[in-house]
Amino acid sequence: MKRTLVAAVAAMVLSTPAIAQITPAPTHVRLTVDLAHPGPVIEPAVEGQFAENLGRGIYDGIWVGPHSSVPNRNGYRTDVMDALKALHVPVIRWLGGCFADTYDWRDGIGPAAKRPKGINTNWGGVTDDNSFGTNEFMDYTEALGAAAYVSINLGSLPAYDARQWVQYMTAGGDSALAQERRANGRDKPWTNLKYVGYGNELWGCGGNMTAGYAADLFKRYATFVNPAPGAPDFVKVASGPSDADYAWTDTLMRDAAKQLGAISLHYYTLPGSSWEHKGSATGFSKDEWAATLSKARYMNTLIARHSAIMDKYDPDKKVALYVDEWGTWYDPQPGSHPGFLYQQNTLRDAEVAALTLDIFFRHTDRVKLAAIAQMVNVLQAMVLTEGDKMLLTPTYHVFHMYVPFQGATPYPATVSGPHYVEGKYDLPMVDASAARGTDGKLYLALVNLDPDRAAHVETGLSGTASGRILTGPKMDSHNTFAAPNTIHPVAYSGRSERGRLTFDLPARSVAVVAVDQK
Ligand code: AHR
């Protein structure tokens, strides 16, 4: 199978004479997996998703309503639902983002026709009929077997409202809120509310607060907003820092560590130099490819530094770091509503996804949950929809290939060898993860960051290995509604050379294999 793939890639490359002349020979790379030092388990939740009420993320993307001509189950798009099921989505964070701190949960319950229409002031000023609310979200997560992560409104509603909302979701018995939920068609409380976010980006759209004020507010809301008696406990997540705002983490940990279950970190990868010039999702240069991968790798520094601050106040690591918004953010797709944050998704995004998941796997002592922004039709999405059509993005394929890492036990994996250098960017050419899956198999993830050079990866492992690889003829290879299968994973295997497992890793590729150890 490997030979077939290498031949196919070679044929693609050689069919372009200009490229054929500059295609260099494979470069030798050494991968060392330290099987003697397993780390803390990779929480499945690090492969989580974020779904905000933004653009066509919820409406059109997840929800079309029961009367739509788009095939659906009780209003949920069938195609998207089936695609997400295959990802074993562990958790979905909803409904913001910035939208969370403007939302009144009461607008989204009861008979759909009676729900008040609102205006989404954060995202495009569009009218929102609130037909997707609490019952619809909680039922969706339940149907997918995912945990629910709900962000409550700290910015513009009193704690009393959030308290009521949580009781609506979690109370048994015959309290008025439990009765109201029953009247809305849901008898038993949902038991999968595992995470509650106390506000979102309180340093910005959530209320422009100082860290000290946000810490105090978190403590006040955390006092009053709790699961109903008898309901499963949930993790209380405070709105944490953006990027390298280490002072925010320090203040939050200093002032609120005792009540914290986790703090969130938000970091987006923008290839461009500013929010005004983020860069295009497709048709980009090699410099932008390298900039994007380099900026994605910065996640490692951010996690290490925020974790070090957390260690000062919480050496036993009781408080987790949740990277609950991450991913690429480009200029909106030309012709799309700029407030809807719709963008294409290419092989470059696949590399960002793989590199970032690999980083999370190196920080399993603190990073217990992450949520890529966002699940459908927004930013670095898993799937894109148009009418009744749906396509799987390269990012989807990476998440699918990485499913075996959910719940796996990671091993340190060190790569040595040449670097990929592009202008001012100097990156390791190959990145790798290794972990023992819950099925007992050893899994390896291999990422070749170099857009031009293939790598010959030598390991100290014995045995055979097979799995899948994602690559494409161009840096911006992507799927479209006209050609939805342009880029998809194909079978891939390693080979044994003098008793040692080796891999021929094409340029710009992501592979995941299971090793059959001898
Ligand atoms: O994901 C889009 C937006 O990015 C979210 O609403 C906000 O939290 C962040 O700034």
Side-chain angles (χ1 to χ4, degrees):
M1 270 312 186
K2 173 193 61 61
R3 233 177 269 131
T4 320
L5 174 81
V6 171
V9 172
M12 284 185 302
V13 169
L14 292 170
S15 64
T16 314
I19 297 178
Q21 285 162 18
I22 57 159
T23 301
T27 303
H28 286 255
V29 167
R30 175 95 195 155
L31 167 66
T32 310
V33 179
D34 182 358
L35 296 171
H37 293 96
V41 157
I42 298 168
E43 287 297 330
V46 299
E47 295 188 14
Q49 300 286 333
F50 172 37
E52 180 167 9
N53 187 7
L54 191 176
R56 297 189 306 110
I58 303 284
Y59 299 108
D60 268 9
I62 293 174
W63 179 254
V64 286
H67 309 298
S68 171
S69 59
V70 177
N72 67 85
R73 291 188 198 108
N74 301 324
Y76 307 112
R77 284 185 78 115
T78 313
D79 50 2
V80 172
M81 208 169 172
D82 289 345
L84 295 176
K85 270 190 185 155
L87 289 186
H88 299 260
V89 174
V91 55
I92 305 177
R93 176 175 181 251
W94 174 79
L95 71 172
C98 295
F99 186 79
D101 288 287
T102 62
Y103 185 64
D104 184 346
W105 70 278
R106 285 210 159 271
D107 292 347
I109 57 165
K114 290 198 175 151
R115 295 185 194 176
K117 288 192 169 63
I119 302 171
N120 192 333
T121 48
N122 278 295
W123 304 114
V126 293
T127 303
D128 176 358
D129 70 4
N130 277 308
S131 55
F132 191 92
T134 302
N135 289 53
E136 290 75 22
F137 172 68
M138 294 304 290
D139 285 350
Y140 195 57
T141 52
E142 204 173 57
L144 287 175
Y149 177 176
V150 172
S151 297
I152 58 171
N153 180 344
L154 248 71
S156 64
L157 277 182
Y160 184 77
D161 294 271
R163 179 184 166 82
Q164 294 241 313
W165 190 10
V166 165
Q167 293 201 2
Y168 177 87
M169 291 185 273
T170 61
D174 63 356
S175 67
L177 286 159
Q179 298 291 13
E180 190 172 4
R181 185 191 62 239
R182 280 188 200 108
N184 291 336
R186 172 75 189 198
D187 180 17
K188 297 260 183 298
W190 292 278
T191 54
N192 64 337
L193 180 63
K194 250 181 116 173
Y195 311 94
V196 170
Y198 289 69
N200 172 77
E201 298 193 349
L202 295 183
W203 40 264
C205 64
N208 289 304
M209 303 170 194
T210 62
Y213 182 73
D216 283 349
L217 203 61
F218 166 76
K219 286 187 284 186
R220 183 151 75 78
Y221 277 64
T223 304
F224 298 114
V225 182
N226 290 295
D233 208 359
F234 52 66
V235 182
K236 294 178 179 174
V237 190
S239 168
S242 168
D243 307 356
D245 186 353
Y246 302 117
W248 186 281
T249 301
D250 201 296
T251 304
L252 205 52
M253 290 300 292
R254 186 196 65 203
D255 293 358
K258 281 204 189 96
Q259 273 172 280
L260 282 169
I263 64 176
S264 67
L265 166 66
H266 290 182
Y267 172 62
Y268 285 97
T269 300
L270 281 59
S273 52
S274 68
W275 282 94
E276 289 69 42
H277 303 285
K278 295 184 277 295
S280 170
T282 55
F284 45 81
S285 64
K286 259 187 206 161
D287 186 70
E288 289 172 285
W289 165 278
T292 309
L293 302 192
S294 170
K295 289 179 178 187
R297 291 185 77 253
Y298 180 54
M299 178 71 87
N300 192 56
T301 304
L302 291 174
I303 293 175
R305 292 196 180 156
H306 284 293
S307 298
I309 294 165
M310 294 174 79
D311 286 349
K312 264 197 324 183
Y313 300 97
D314 175 37
D316 297 334
K317 301 183 192 289
K318 291 191 176 131
V319 182
L321 184 64
Y322 288 179
V323 188
D324 63 17
E325 286 187 32
W326 68 271
T328 53
W329 193 326
Y330 308 119
D331 296 333
Q333 168 120 328
S336 70
H337 189 313
F340 283 11
L341 313 186
Y342 179 84
Q343 63 189 37
Q344 248 300 354
N345 193 298
T346 70
L347 186 52
R348 175 176 62 167
D349 296 272
E351 295 242 345
V352 169
L355 293 174
T356 307
L357 292 174
D358 288 351
I359 291 168
F360 296 154
F361 300 167
R362 285 176 204 129
H363 293 278
T364 50
D365 58 335
R366 277 282 178 206
V367 179
K368 308 285 184 187
L369 180 149
I372 187 169
Q374 298 193 6
M375 191 161 74
V376 185
N377 286 336
V378 176
L379 299 177
Q380 192 177 347
M382 301 295 117
V383 300
L384 302 176
T385 68
E386 189 178 83
D388 63 358
K389 297 199 193 86
M390 181 201 74
L391 63 81
L392 305 177
T393 65
T395 298
Y396 175 95
H397 291 307
V398 166
F399 269 70
H400 195 233
M401 289 159 67
Y402 271 64
V403 166
F405 287 96
Q406 292 188 17
T409 301
Y411 298 112
T414 319
V415 177
S416 55
H419 277 212
Y420 156 50
V421 180
E422 179 69 47
K424 64 181 181 190
Y425 302 105
D426 183 342
L427 306 166
M429 181 180 174
V430 171
D431 188 81
S433 274
R436 176 88 50 204
T438 52
D439 57 5
K441 291 183 189 160
L442 176 65
Y443 287 92
L444 300 179
L446 301 168
V447 187
N448 186 347
L449 288 74
D450 196 310
D452 297 320
R453 291 181 304 169
H456 182 69
V457 182
E458 296 165 350
T459 78
L461 302 165
S462 56
T464 56
S466 60
R468 291 185 299 160
I469 190 164
L470 186 73
T471 185
K474 297 193 292 185
M475 293 184 293
D476 74 343
S477 290
H478 59 276
N479 294 326
T480 64
F481 294 102
N485 219 15
T486 303
I487 166 165
H488 61 274
V490 295
Y492 177 71
S493 53
R495 116 177 99 119
S496 186
E497 282 176 15
R498 294 180 299 281
R500 294 287 171 240
L501 193 54
T502 65
F503 297 92
D504 289 315
L505 199 59
R508 51 180 190 282
S509 64
V510 179
V512 173
V513 294
V515 181
D516 190 3
Q517 287 171 286
K518 293 282 181 287

